[in-house]
Amino acid sequence: MKTSSLLLLSTQLMGSTAFAPASLGNQRASSKLFAAGGPPQYDKIDAVLREAEVLSKGSVMLHIDSDTPIEYKPGHVLALEIENVESGDDKNNADAIANGGWMRGPYTVSRATENSLDILIKVVGDKSKILSEAKSGTPLKFGGKFKVPIVEGIQKDDTKRVVFISTGTGVGPCVGAIEEALKDESFPPIELCASYRNAVEIVYSDYLDELQTKNPGRFSWKAIVTSETGRLSATEKNLEAIAAAEDLGLNDTHYHLIGNGQLVSEFKAGLDKAGVPKGKVTVEMYFNHKAAPNDDVIDRIANMISSAKAVAV
């Protein structure tokens, strides 16, 4: 494996917007790329695309194989590279030239085995379009291991309930984390609230229904279609989807927020205002970082969450 520098990247489509070393803090990592003395270094691993599988409108799962043994988990962020392609984006082209002809960007792992990766991407720009249209057998490279895996960021021993709130392809790492957690009989019950703009964008609907049926009391899920009902935070009625049982206190639920930066920022602020301990909230933003949080939305979230019992003593 050849060690190479990762240049500072502009905001990327799908996947985390930048890389940061793994940390057990409640943010799971900063969204800023940094490293002492320069950009991070990572070992590049040769790989091949097994399949670019369309899961729903605009959502494609990249199934990637490598002969090199790897250790990744859902929620890890890595650098993914594809060779000898020309983008309509000058920044992408300039970075590919600087990287020996390989276009690259940060993406979040949905699933992993010793020799394979699944990465769910949203097709919204040149880079994701090129990856989504790549043929089976296309050479790829990946490397780096940034952020804390989703399951590892949850302190299960003092948690009675876990809530995943995702937008778009943020559901990918959530599904991988759910599969991992369900293998552990001692893991708290998980509720997934997955938000999409339109119903045709829903990912893994049948599969999630099957998981829910096979794991009663341990897993449940709901899709929020914003074009039909508005955002999850739009009304108190919508927010009932994540309301806790009356016997649970504010410190009993762990929330993982992943996807649209505005949603993540508003829910993080609302949970904090409600009194949810900081260690019970982990986040990952994919895009829309600069969107200003709506104070009314923050208050609505806080009011809903704080209706639970006070923090248990």
Side-chain angles (χ1 to χ4, degrees), residues 203-274:
V203 172
Y204 278 147
S205 179
D206 292 343
Y207 177 58
L208 290 170
D209 284 345
E210 181 182 350
L211 280 182
Q212 180 173 263
T213 299
K214 290 182 176 179
N215 297 277
R218 298 193 63 209
F219 171 66
S220 62
W221 85 287
K222 179 174 183 173
I224 300 293
V225 179
T226 61
S227 62
E228 299 175 4
T229 63
R231 297 169 59 198
L232 173 61
S233 58
T235 65
E236 291 184 359
K237 179 175 178 57
N238 284 1
L239 283 169
E240 289 176 359
I242 60 168
E246 292 183 0
D247 61 340
L248 294 179
L250 292 176
N251 62 341
D252 291 328
T253 300
H254 182 105
Y255 299 88
H256 183 65
L257 318 171
I258 181 169
N260 185 307
Q262 184 173 18
L263 174 142
V264 171
S265 295
E266 289 172 348
F267 266 91
K268 183 175 181 295
L271 294 170
D272 183 63
K273 190 169 185 178

